[in-house]
Amino acid sequence: MNYNINKGIGRTVEFKGLKAQYLFIFAGGLLGTLTLVMIMYMAGVNSYICLLLGSGGASLIVWQTFSLNKKYGEHGLMKIGARKRHPRYIICRKPLHRYLKFTSKSNGL
């Protein structure tokens, strides 16, 4: 099979409809699920439970990643993160006359 990952210079990386940071979320989630299943299997948990949790977790990650990609788009998660860092409003607690007062600079040091 041949998969096209990048479609041109200056364009974002895209794989099967997932763009940019969603690829990293997708790969990291699946890797984390695989690691969790391996640890559970080595710890002695029943293999059917491991398979059930692994397949359920992987399908949840696939579903959520594609839904986030569809809902927010290529730069949506970065915009949400930037919005959380900005203040909603600026509070000015000085009296108004302190803003309007003009002080001249003197030439002396």
Side-chain angles (χ1 to χ4, degrees):
M1 291 183 164
N2 187 12
Y3 293 109
N4 293 331
I5 293 178
N6 201 357
K7 295 186 177 183
I9 298 173
R11 297 184 74 188
T12 59
V13 177
E14 180 180 350
F15 180 72
K16 296 289 184 184
L18 289 178
K19 294 182 179 180
Q21 71 268 20
Y22 301 107
L23 279 173
F24 297 113
I25 293 170
F26 182 72
L30 289 180
L31 186 64
T33 304
L34 176 68
T35 306
L36 179 69
V37 168
M38 288 171 37
I39 290 172
M40 287 173 33
Y41 184 75
M42 286 190 285
V45 179
N46 190 355
S47 58
Y48 290 117
I49 294 173
C50 292
L51 286 173
L52 182 68
L53 288 176
S55 62
S59 61
L60 180 70
I61 288 169
V62 169
W63 174 62
Q64 280 295 315
T65 307
F66 276 96
S67 68
L68 283 173
N69 188 29
K70 184 178 177 183
K71 182 176 182 181
Y72 294 117
E74 185 176 343
H75 302 291
L77 292 180
M78 290 186 283
K79 289 179 183 178
I80 291 171
R83 188 178 301 137
K84 288 181 181 179
R85 291 189 186 126
H86 281 264
R88 291 182 187 220
Y89 48 87
I90 298 173
I91 299 174
C92 298
R93 296 191 177 172
K94 287 183 182 180
L96 184 63
H97 67 86
R98 303 249 350 241
Y99 291 111
L100 300 175
K101 187 167 63 171
F102 177 75
T103 58
S104 62
K105 295 181 181 179
S106 62
N107 291 338
L109 295 175

